Amino acid sequence: MKKLFLFATLLVMSIGIFNVSSAQDMNILEKDYEISRKAKKGYLGGVEKQENGNFDLIYFSPSTFFGKAVVETYTFDKDCNLLNTVRQDLETEKVRKRYKFFVYKGEYFIANTMSASTNYVGKLVFRKKQVTAKWDWWFGGYVRRVKMLDKVKPKDEDGKGYYFLGGAYEVERDSAILVMAMVNNLDTKGDDFKGFRYDLIKADNNLNIKVLKQLTFPYHVRCVFAKPLMDNESASIENDDMPRDWIVIYAPTNMSKKEFTCPSTTKYTYFRISPEGEIKEQFDFEAPASGWRIVNAYENVVGNSKSVILYGASTGKEGKYSNQAIAETLVATSSQDAEEAEVSKSGGGALGAFSGLGGALTGSNEIGLREDQVEDMLDLKDYTHFVVAKIENGKMTVGKKTEMEELNDKAVAPPDMKKPLKFNGKKFVVNDLQVLSDNSLLLNVQDYKKIKQQAGNKMMGTSMTRVSDKIYEGMFMLHFTPDGSLIKNYTVKIDQKSKKGFFNNSPITSDMFRTGSSVIETKNVGSVNWIMTIVKAIDDYAPKYSIEYGKLNLKDGIPSDFKTLGEDEKRKYYLYDRHNRINHNGFMYFFSETLRGDRLLLSRLKLEE
């Protein structure tokens, strides 16, 4: 039954209104509201914009009726006034069809999937993986428990085992895994040698293995990148729920005989593969650098035009083959993730509050490197260049590298900083890439320093909070032209320790977490608002975030000071974990809640014209 509560009946709710004007004339309006007990038992599932400037906050919570969910919609006008709420008990299947961000598949489900890893002699091993999941209405996701089952060593048509040097994609939606496996053809003697063969393999949850495509390289190569595409929805819809295409890139090596070594050290091969295993693109291109560590592949869609941006860093060892320029592996040799490994160490404990289903990963039997281990290892290397490339219409149209020293030559800082931060190309992570309307690029990186890691990892909701061995420091926003040339480096010092409430009995501190970053373009070309998400407090092991904001005048290369949104230390409101902002009709809206989840704070930030 639909229940409609008009705004007039909601005046009994406690409402607070805060008006703030920053030193940058970016007017802030804040209003807080009490939410219903029912919504408090659930989670903020999404935000929908309306053409008239209004917007809806949509909460999902459990229903007392079997097979249904409670959908509670709060409608606000552009001035953050609550207009009405609508509460409905709807069949979950109808909710799934209506809201793509509702990823509920039932209270429990069991899925049989696959993992891939390398063994002690480099051979490919498949292992059946049973995932038992319980829906958590508080966090809006599944708490998973993983049990490793049967394993098999796939063989080619000659009965030989495959080598696995990295490149696996678990497609949870299809209970399948895609793997690029090297055929055992290392013997290059004889006239019948036709090249180095890789098989694109697909394995289903019953260990049925199928070779989808045989690929032959005339020269010895290694995999240097293998990840699903990122896009503008990656932050809100995970790849498990909406699998993207898989990008796999190979680079030549000098690890074979001279006649089987590519004359060019930068002749890379690019594959775009669908989650079903169809090769949609395959071509060679000349990479901008030899020792290129590709961090991510981002798909930029403008109308009917699509391109893939590859970005990362280079060791600068030009003329060297990939294995000489970066000796370490560049891709994971195990598809197991860090959370699964954490469970295996615990000897059988469940992820989060979910327990009693038995079984755990036998991670000690998996010797391949996980993706997070590879990333941590590569973060410690010294890099001399940033590298940006663009792939479109089956070829590389942009490929540019920028020396690290140029970053410091073109560095600027806000007025309240005495001088720009220095960037040395050591110990940094890439946070975000955004393509602006003029096709210029903004790439955000953050440096860090290593500390001695403490014990104390803990499950929080559906994910593992790991005690980091990194202290994150300065932010660097790199502005590139459409052809990849550096225009300016905007630097901001992040001093999270200066804020209160960051320390408690847990070994986790606020500066162990990366600073989130996004930019919002203004109507005036050449100006953006830079929004940073920083940790404001630690509640037990869980980070709680707030917003800092400022403006970048890209045309003149001038940054503003950065301010904290709202009365930061006086009110205990923290950003929702997901769906915590929208850009709508010239305003940026942020959505925060109390630790108890009983009150909602709307913060409206007027964007610069």
Side-chain angles (χ1 to χ4, degrees), residues 282-297:
Q282 175 185 345
F283 58 88
D284 295 336
F285 69 98
E286 286 296 323
S290 296
W292 187 15
R293 174 196 174 188
I294 306 172
V295 174
N296 267 319

Side-chain angles (χ1 to χ4, degrees), residues 21-26 549 561 563:
S21 180
S22 78
Q24 303 168 151
D25 295 323
M26 297 175 73
Y549 62 94
D561 287 331
K563 303 295 180 181

Side-chain angles (χ1 to χ4, degrees), residues 223-476:
C223 188
V224 295
F225 183 78
K227 289 183 183 180
L229 278 168
M230 304 286 288
D231 56 36
N232 61 358
E233 292 188 304
S234 294
S236 57
I237 304 178
E238 296 181 356
N239 203 70
D240 287 347
D241 300 310
M242 191 177 77
R244 281 78 167 177
D245 287 350
W246 186 34
I247 304 300
V248 183
I249 298 176
Y250 284 88
T253 78
N254 69 340
M255 298 171 67
S256 185
K257 296 179 181 180
K258 185 175 181 180
E259 57 264 39
F260 302 119
T261 299
C262 182
S264 170
T265 61
T266 54
K267 187 178 180 180
Y268 284 33
T269 303
Y270 175 96
F271 295 92
R272 179 169 179 160
I273 304 171
S274 74
E276 294 74 29
E278 176 194 357
I279 297 179
K280 301 167 75 172
E281 283 187 295
Q282 175 185 345
F283 58 88
D284 295 336
F285 69 98
E286 286 296 323
S290 296
W292 187 15
R293 174 196 174 188
I294 306 172
V295 174
N296 267 319
Y298 179 88
E299 183 166 44
N300 183 47
V301 180
V302 180
N304 295 324
S305 175
K306 295 183 179 181
S307 62
V308 173
I309 309 296
L310 305 173
Y311 57 93
S314 165
T315 57
K317 298 179 180 179
E318 298 310 316
K320 300 291 185 181
Y321 288 90
S322 173
N323 60 297
Q324 295 174 305
I326 301 179
E328 295 82 357
T329 182
L330 286 161
V331 294
T333 52
S334 172
S335 62
Q336 178 181 318
D337 63 28
E339 292 180 9
E340 293 170 347
E342 201 67 39
V343 175
S344 68
K345 292 178 184 178
S346 70
L351 294 182
F354 190 27
S355 60
L357 291 175
L361 270 174
T362 54
S364 59
N365 295 326
E366 307 290 338
I367 70 162
L369 290 174
R370 304 186 314 270
E371 183 175 318
D372 64 298
Q373 293 174 317
V374 172
E375 297 293 337
D376 287 346
M377 179 175 60
L378 294 175
D379 283 347
L380 299 177
K381 294 193 69 65
D382 292 348
Y383 298 95
T384 59
H385 297 78
F386 271 103
V387 182
V388 177
K390 180 186 288 187
I391 304 294
E392 53 188 341
N393 300 321
K395 61 182 178 180
M396 187 186 76
T397 58
V398 171
K400 188 78 172 183
K401 57 184 180 180
T402 302
E403 290 188 10
M404 295 295 180
E405 280 303 314
E406 187 177 345
L407 267 67
N408 293 320
D409 293 340
K410 295 182 177 179
V412 293
D416 60 355
M417 285 177 55
K418 293 182 179 180
K419 58 182 180 180
L421 300 177
K422 285 285 187 179
F423 190 83
N424 61 13
K426 301 178 181 180
K427 299 184 180 65
F428 67 92
V429 292
V430 179
N431 285 330
D432 182 63
L433 171 79
Q434 289 184 245
V435 183
L436 303 182
S437 58
D438 63 356
N439 289 320
S440 65
L441 309 176
L442 283 173
L443 181 66
N444 176 246
V445 302
Q446 187 171 18
D447 61 4
Y448 67 86
K449 62 181 180 182
K450 295 277 286 185
I451 60 172
K452 185 177 180 180
Q453 189 172 26
Q454 305 176 59
N457 295 349
K458 184 175 179 179
M459 280 301 306
M460 296 303 299
T462 60
S463 61
M464 180 73 67
T465 296
R466 303 168 65 205
V467 179
S468 176
D469 61 351
K470 302 180 180 71
I471 296 296
Y472 292 95
E473 299 180 312
M475 293 283 280
F476 304 82

Side-chain angles (χ1 to χ4, degrees), residues 35-46 57-63 68-74 87 102 104 107 135-141 462 544 576-579 593-600:
I35 66 172
S36 74
R37 291 184 180 181
K38 195 65 182 176
K40 180 183 174 182
K41 294 179 180 179
Y43 67 100
L44 176 61
L57 268 63
I58 301 159
Y59 290 83
F60 300 124
S61 57
S63 173
K68 291 189 175 184
V70 175
V71 181
E72 197 161 345
T73 303
Y74 290 71
R87 176 181 164 182
F102 183 66
Y104 176 86
E107 290 297 315
W135 180 259
D136 189 313
W137 283 102
W138 178 260
F139 291 98
T462 60
K544 298 298 180 182
Y576 281 96
D577 291 336
R578 290 171 292 175
H579 310 293
E593 63 176 336
T594 57
L595 289 178
R596 295 174 58 187
D598 58 345
R599 296 190 69 83
L600 160 71

Side-chain angles (χ1 to χ4, degrees), residues 118 121-126 154-157 160-167 179-188 193 195-201 211 213-217 219-223 250 253 255-256 260:
T118 185
V121 292
K123 293 293 184 68
L124 172 64
V125 177
F126 281 132
K155 297 180 180 181
D156 62 17
E157 66 271 18
K160 297 180 180 180
Y162 288 98
Y163 285 95
F164 181 53
L165 307 177
V179 174
M180 296 286 274
M182 184 178 180
V183 175
N184 188 2
N185 59 357
L186 296 180
D187 184 6
T188 58
F193 181 73
F196 298 91
R197 199 184 97 195
Y198 284 76
D199 285 355
L200 174 58
I201 297 175
V211 176
K213 187 76 173 180
Q214 294 183 348
L215 306 164
T216 301
F217 295 90
Y219 305 109
H220 193 276
V221 296
R222 72 165 179 165
C223 188
Y250 284 88
T253 78
M255 298 171 67
S256 185
F260 302 119

